[in-house]
Amino acid sequence: MAHLIGRRAAAITFATGLILLLSGHIGSPDTWFEGTAGPYPVQVVVRNPTVLPGQAQVTVKVTQGGVTTVEVSPIFWNTDPKSQPAPDVAQPVPGQAGTYAADVWLILPGSYNLTVAVTGREGRGTVVVPVVAQVTQLLTMQRPLGITLAIMGLFLFVGALTLFGAAAREGVMAPGEEPTPRRRTMGRVVMAAGTLLLCMGLWGGKAWWDSTEQGIRRYLETPFVIPSAISVENGTRVLELKLPDTLFSATPVPRRRRGARLGGWSPLLPDHGKMMHLFVLGIDRPESFAHLHPIVSDSFNTSFRTVVPSLPAGRYRFFADVVHESGWAQTMIGEIELPAPSNLPQVPADSDDAWYDGVAPGDSATLSDGSHLVWQGGRLGKRATIDAGLNFAITDPKGARATIEPYLGMAGHAVVAREDGKVFVHLHPAGTISMAAQQALGLRQPGDSVAGALAKRLAQLDRSAMVGMPTHFADGMLHFPYAFPGPGTYRIWVQVRRGGKIETASFRTSIAP
Amino acid sequence: MAIPFPERLHSRAGPQPVDRARAGIIPWTIYAVTFAATAIVCGLIWDISWHRSIGRDKFLNPAHITEYIAAVVTGISCGYLAFKTTWWGTTDERAVSVQFWGFRAPLGAWVCTWGALSMLVSAPFDNWWHAAYGLDIEILTPPHTLLLLGMTTIVIGAMMMVLAAQNRASDESSGDFSTLYAYAGGCLLLMVATALLSQTALPNGWRSVDFYKVSAMAYPVVLVMMARTGKTKWPATQAGAFMMLLSWGMSFILQFAPATPRLGPVYNPITHFVAAPFPLLMVVSGFALDLLVKRFGTTRGWRFSLAAAVVFMVSWIAAHWTASAFLLSSAAENPVFFGPSQFDYNVRLGPFVHQFWNQPRDATGNLVFSAYAAGLGIATLYAFISARFGLWFGNWMVKVRR
């Protein structure tokens, strides 16, 4: 169909009403990735479209290796990689050496394997970047555009009626004749009938528009809130979570996209060896934080249970990260109210669980062993939507670079949350992506069409992958590729393992628009 | 702004005007709007083929540009006609015009102008729609409907301009106008057939009840109108032939133009544009209806409409039921008949391409003739209503002189 005005040019004129879709990360739809495509170190940023189908803006930064071409192709998780069109060739960005950009089309809501291929002096290298495509905004029409369209519509409406009248009144008269009273009356009758016809057409059009809008609105507002319950067993607070059936079976989607749900039912995959990563953040007391790993308590991977550590009593938000076999990394949410802890010693349910209560006064946090975790470049003066500069240095009590050990398979973890609870993201040095999702998309084969087949294979791989992991990271440096999605007051928790103990540092910062 | 008519006309002194149409001179504006109608229909076919072959498009792709050119040519030629007639029009030009908000131009020119304006209005609306609800995957959305309405209106306006000239022309000089009118009718038929592409185009559906129902609603109205209003010997036949020729010509050219899918998944790795299927056999029913008009006339409207409905249904079923078997066979797999394998890039080809779809069958797979009888009965009723409307429009249109 013809479009008389460039889409992107006019897109900026629309006011937006943001509605959060509770999946992927919360309120942070863009993908940031750092890793390697074969021999080439790459940074990939994917700015997702807010509606689907839409165009994602992909930027690939690759500074080494005499690069000749950078290609990107978005592959929906359950389609055969061999049945894909030729990749999009990313074009060099003028004035930014080593940066390439391409717009790719994302059609369906769900998990995409964005394959980035770099060709250069050292041959061709590829890397899979998991991208979750979803509808994240519902546009409202800005008043000036609405008024302009209404005026134009009225003009067409009255014009059509005038045409009906002119056709009936004068159209059939012999050249030069003056309309008779009868013909004038005929003209008016036809105009009245035309009014009725056009009104019916407009009414039908409005009903059509409303149904489209309703379909998308219903889809947007589907909340993935996990039913949760707190109980006290032998002086220990226990949190139980039950994934709702609607998560898998009843996601309401617009009729036109039926059959293309966010992945449909697919089994969960362990990510860093855990089926779920649960982050508990204080509402009454925003300094309180816990990173827990609930244990599956049924054979369907839908019921989870964990001991809540020594967090003070009060209201908490929780964010539960799971990864589906489709590569869809999903964050579910909920709220709990914790009773006061008992005086009994609190034993974590999982050895990788960690919690913290406090915040660094500035850019430097002191860890429990006296070493420091310093936000390099500082926490002040940050802006939204550009690289957040989440660079941290760990120094021992003497000021020398400290060695850290892997925590859940990574050099470090970071959690970024806005204080209003509308933004939440779990970061690694590889960025916003889930490593399990990357692995699932990379290893999927055309034969993996039966749900559960790939998950089984990956579970075995996940166990063996732990064997070859590095035992320490000596440079004491951490970098998390990310951009704050919008202005506001944010809290950042950085977690590392040192001397066998999980250390958490917490920062608070304000982000300008 | 209002320029009274016919007072001003009468106030003009000078020799008695000569109607150029009566003299058989075809004005350039009529050529211009006929060209625009052709560009609209061809652009639309091209655009649909683009979406079926390449999958994604840009603002400035050749198919879109063809549409823009049509809108611009319409706007310029009809705008010129309105200004010229209103302010500098000769007596005869003003005498064959109608008044619109104080301006004067032929009726068809106003219809065309309205069509071009609604195409223009659909643009920001469509743009917002894409930003709000996603890029094109569906053809029919409210803004696209407005666009399609504008495009169809331009085709109808072009028809009206030629029609008025044809009706004014003397019998000796009406020939050129009449052929041009039949051609414009062919454009309208193709516009309707293209809008109903998914309902009636594929020969796989030519033995389904729905195909006959939709066809019965959509086509008799235009064919009867053409048979009633055209001044050539076989106007509906000619319109049907022009429609088929245009459709076939576009498909014939497109199938040789290289195209590569740009959206995944690609299950049908095409290398050239996917052609629209072999056109509907409009010429057959057009000929049958022309014969009916010649033999019995149209004076008895209701009776004629009933006869037209039966004639349309019989000729339509006879033509499409038989031809579909050939078009789905391997023998049709050639550049002339386009064959059954011309499917979109994202369709997994299988035996279904050679099969008939949506036929009423019982549990054992046999055709249910009672379902056919009921369905075709309803279709005949639709054809009757459609033909009656066609005749009403036709009766009015034969009188259009401006």
Side-chain angles (χ1 to χ4, degrees):
Chain A
M1 277 302 149
H3 315 299
L4 300 184
I5 287 183
R7 292 168 183 150
R8 237 182 299 164
I12 50 168
T13 61
F14 306 124
T16 61
L18 183 72
I19 292 181
L20 298 169
L21 183 72
L22 306 175
S23 85
H25 302 298
I26 304 294
S28 189
D30 294 345
T31 303
W32 286 71
F33 169 77
E34 270 183 27
T36 53
Y40 308 100
V42 291
Q43 185 198 62
V44 181
V45 180
V46 184
R47 306 223 183 247
N48 270 355
T50 55
V51 287
L52 295 172
Q55 283 179 294
Q57 296 170 349
V58 182
T59 312
V60 181
K61 205 180 276 181
V62 45
T63 45
Q64 296 173 24
V67 172
T68 49
T69 55
V70 175
E71 296 168 329
V72 287
S73 35
I75 304 167
F76 195 64
W77 68 275
N78 65 357
T79 56
D80 184 356
K82 292 196 186 83
S83 300
Q84 300 302 323
D88 286 281
V89 178
Q91 299 299 320
V93 177
Q96 296 180 42
T99 305
Y100 299 80
D103 288 347
V104 300
W105 283 53
L106 304 181
I107 307 297
L108 302 170
S111 169
Y112 273 84
N113 161 354
L114 183 82
T115 298
V116 177
V118 180
T119 310
R121 233 180 359 243
E122 295 172 64
R124 183 180 163 90
T126 63
V127 65
V128 171
V129 181
V131 170
V132 176
Q134 55 195 6
V135 181
T136 52
Q137 282 185 7
L138 203 61
L139 288 181
T140 49
M141 195 179 278
Q142 208 182 30
R143 211 176 168 76
L145 180 70
I147 291 171
T148 310
L149 283 179
I151 291 171
M152 290 166 111
L154 188 70
F155 184 78
L156 285 179
F157 186 89
V158 178
L161 289 183
T162 312
L163 260 180
F164 289 154
R169 191 178 60 243
E170 296 173 73
V172 295
M173 289 184 337
E177 262 182 22
E178 193 181 357
T180 60
R182 188 174 162 271
R183 290 238 68 87
R184 286 183 193 281
T185 310
M186 181 71 89
R188 288 189 201 103
V189 170
V190 169
M191 281 173 88
T195 309
L196 198 69
L197 193 76
L198 290 181
C199 285
M200 278 166 61
L202 283 177
W203 178 77
K206 183 175 183 311
W208 187 6
W209 187 343
D210 286 347
S211 81
T212 306
E213 170 98 15
Q214 278 302 318
I216 291 175
R217 186 179 287 277
R218 197 169 60 234
Y219 173 53
L220 267 171
E221 288 180 353
T222 305
F224 288 110
V225 177
I226 324 176
S228 58
I230 284 279
S231 58
V232 180
E233 296 174 10
N234 303 325
T236 304
R237 296 170 300 180
V238 174
L239 172 63
E240 286 181 287
L241 303 169
K242 174 100 178 125
L243 300 192
D245 287 346
T246 50
L247 173 63
F248 299 107
S249 56
T251 309
V253 292
R255 188 179 305 146
R256 61 181 176 151
R257 290 176 187 148
R258 195 167 284 163
R261 293 173 184 146
L262 279 164
W265 182 84
S266 67
L268 300 183
L269 298 179
D271 193 7
H272 310 306
K274 314 289 180 190
M275 294 306 273
M276 179 185 279
H277 292 255
L278 181 76
F279 300 89
V280 183
L281 312 182
I283 299 174
D284 301 325
R285 192 177 153 71
E287 292 76 20
S288 302
F289 164 88
H291 176 179
L292 310 174
H293 304 97
I295 293 158
V296 178
S297 58
D298 70 354
S299 54
F300 302 107
N301 287 353
T302 55
S303 297
F304 291 82
R305 178 186 165 89
T306 184
V307 168
V308 181
S310 308
L311 293 175
R315 290 181 304 137
Y316 287 81
R317 286 187 190 97
F318 63 81
F319 300 87
D321 281 352
V322 292
V323 180
H324 295 251
E325 190 187 41
S326 62
W328 173 30
Q330 184 190 21
T331 302
M332 294 169 288
I333 63 156
E335 270 189 36
I336 47 169
E337 183 145 11
L338 284 182
S342 70
N343 295 327
L344 295 170
Q346 305 286 311
V347 183
D350 186 285
S351 59
D352 289 318
D353 286 359
W355 56 95
Y356 186 72
D357 189 72
V359 64
D363 298 340
S364 175
T366 306
L367 306 180
S368 68
D369 66 349
S371 54
H372 293 91
L373 195 146
V374 182
W375 190 342
Q376 292 199 313
R379 67 197 164 85
L380 301 175
K382 300 286 184 197
R383 300 186 73 87
T385 70
I386 55 170
D387 193 325
L390 297 179
N391 301 306
F392 300 92
I394 299 109
T395 53
D396 63 18
K398 292 174 191 161
R401 283 286 162 82
T403 299
I404 49 175
E405 299 132 30
Y407 170 39
L408 294 167
M410 312 297 289
H413 293 249
V415 168
V416 176
R418 205 162 65 188
E419 285 192 348
D420 62 4
K422 298 279 170 62
V423 176
F424 168 87
V425 63
H426 173 190
L427 302 172
H428 306 127
T432 58
I433 68 148
S434 148
M435 310 310 284
Q438 188 186 36
Q439 200 178 28
L441 290 166
L443 294 179
R444 178 170 277 278
Q445 294 165 358
D448 288 326
S449 52
V450 176
L454 176 62
K456 213 168 174 179
R457 221 169 60 236
L458 284 167
Q460 286 160 359
L461 270 175
D462 196 65
R463 277 194 288 276
S464 58
M466 296 286 183
V467 178
M469 195 179 289
T471 53
H472 65 279
F473 302 90
D475 69 349
M477 288 298 300
L478 278 176
H479 168 63
F480 300 99
Y482 184 63
F484 294 104
T489 304
Y490 287 82
R491 283 180 183 264
I492 296 123
W493 290 272
V494 182
Q495 294 190 294
V496 293
R497 193 193 290 271
R498 197 166 138 66
K501 188 164 184 278
I502 302 156
E503 300 280 359
T504 306
S506 168
F507 302 91
R508 185 170 190 258
T509 186
S510 286
I511 301 300
Chain B
M1 187 62 77
I3 295 163
F5 181 86
E7 286 77 6
R8 216 179 126 184
L9 172 70
H10 287 187
S11 72
R12 289 187 171 221
Q16 190 59 27
V18 179
D19 185 347
R20 289 161 69 87
R22 278 195 73 78
I25 303 165
I26 301 177
W28 69 268
T29 45
I30 284 187
Y31 281 123
V33 291
T34 312
F35 165 78
T38 311
I40 277 174
V41 179
C42 293
L44 186 61
I45 291 172
W46 193 353
D47 197 18
I48 289 170
S49 180
W50 190 288
H51 280 273
R52 297 179 66 202
S53 318
I54 296 171
R56 68 188 203 189
D57 58 359
K58 285 185 175 167
F59 170 55
L60 286 179
N61 79 36
H64 290 179
I65 291 172
T66 310
E67 306 284 5
Y68 309 147
I69 289 173
V72 169
V73 166
T74 305
I76 290 175
S77 55
C78 294
Y80 163 81
L81 206 51
F83 284 114
K84 167 91 172 16
T85 312
T86 304
W87 286 305
W88 305 286
T90 60
T91 314
D92 56 313
E93 281 166 349
R94 295 174 57 77
V96 295
S97 65
V98 300
Q99 189 174 307
F100 190 103
W101 297 347
F103 292 88
R104 300 207 71 91
L107 182 61
W110 290 125
V111 175
C112 281
T113 308
W114 190 92
L117 281 175
S118 50
M119 279 178 78
L120 193 72
V121 175
S122 79
F125 186 22
D126 193 34
N127 205 56
W128 179 83
W129 192 272
H130 289 309
Y133 307 127
L135 300 172
D136 277 348
I137 285 299
E138 302 170 281
I139 291 179
L140 279 183
T141 59
H144 282 177
T145 305
L146 181 63
L147 179 66
L148 209 57
L149 188 67
M151 289 156 80
T152 312
T153 306
I154 288 180
V155 176
I156 291 174
M159 229 176 123
M160 300 284 291
M161 279 177 76
V162 191
L163 172 77
Q166 172 201 264
N167 290 350
R168 290 199 309 274
S170 62
D171 284 341
E172 306 84 60
S173 60
S174 69
D176 291 345
F177 287 112
S178 303
T179 308
L180 209 55
Y181 178 63
Y183 175 79
C187 288
L188 181 62
L189 275 171
L190 186 51
M191 195 73 200
V192 177
T194 306
L196 296 175
L197 190 83
S198 49
Q199 282 81 21
T200 63
L202 289 169
N204 308 72
W206 287 4
R207 289 188 181 181
S208 73
V209 172
D210 283 349
F211 166 73
Y212 291 103
K213 284 184 182 169
V214 175
S215 302
M217 278 188 253
Y219 304 122
V221 62
V222 186
L223 288 173
V224 167
M225 193 175 78
M226 289 308 298
R228 173 74 182 93
T229 53
K231 280 195 176 175
T232 58
K233 278 188 178 166
W234 305 97
T237 315
Q238 277 181 323
F242 279 127
M243 173 262 169
M244 290 181 66
L245 196 65
L246 259 182
S247 173
W248 182 87
M250 277 304 290
S251 287
F252 186 79
I253 295 166
L254 282 172
Q255 68 183 337
F256 294 116
T260 313
R262 300 291 288 127
L263 274 186
V266 182
Y267 295 126
N268 183 16
I270 49 131
T271 53
H272 293 80
F273 274 94
V274 177
F278 193 79
L280 289 166
L281 305 168
M282 205 66 79
V283 70
V284 177
S285 295
F287 178 67
L289 289 169
D290 275 339
L291 270 182
L292 185 74
V293 171
K294 272 184 185 303
R295 179 72 183 81
F296 297 105
T298 56
T299 43
R300 293 182 167 189
W302 292 101
R303 204 177 288 180
F304 168 81
S305 303
L306 189 61
V310 174
V311 164
F312 172 80
M313 287 306 295
V314 170
S315 59
W316 196 254
I317 295 169
H320 293 88
W321 191 281
T322 46
S324 56
F326 168 71
L327 290 172
L328 292 185
S329 70
S330 304
E333 206 82 71
N334 57 54
V336 177
F337 293 103
F338 314 126
S341 302
Q342 292 266 1
F343 271 93
D344 308 20
Y345 68 89
N346 55 3
V347 173
R348 282 184 210 269
L349 296 186
F352 71 91
V353 302
H354 292 285
Q355 291 163 355
F356 288 107
W357 304 344
N358 303 326
Q359 286 183 287
R361 290 181 186 277
D362 61 18
T364 54
N366 295 319
L367 289 180
V368 182
F369 286 99
S370 57
Y372 267 117
L376 294 178
I378 293 168
T380 309
L381 178 69
Y382 292 157
F384 169 63
I385 297 167
S386 181
R388 181 66 254 204
F389 272 99
L391 189 59
W392 271 325
F393 290 140
N395 286 339
W396 175 75
M397 286 167 76
V398 284
K399 293 183 279 185
V400 168
R401 311 287 294 277
R402 297 184 175 204

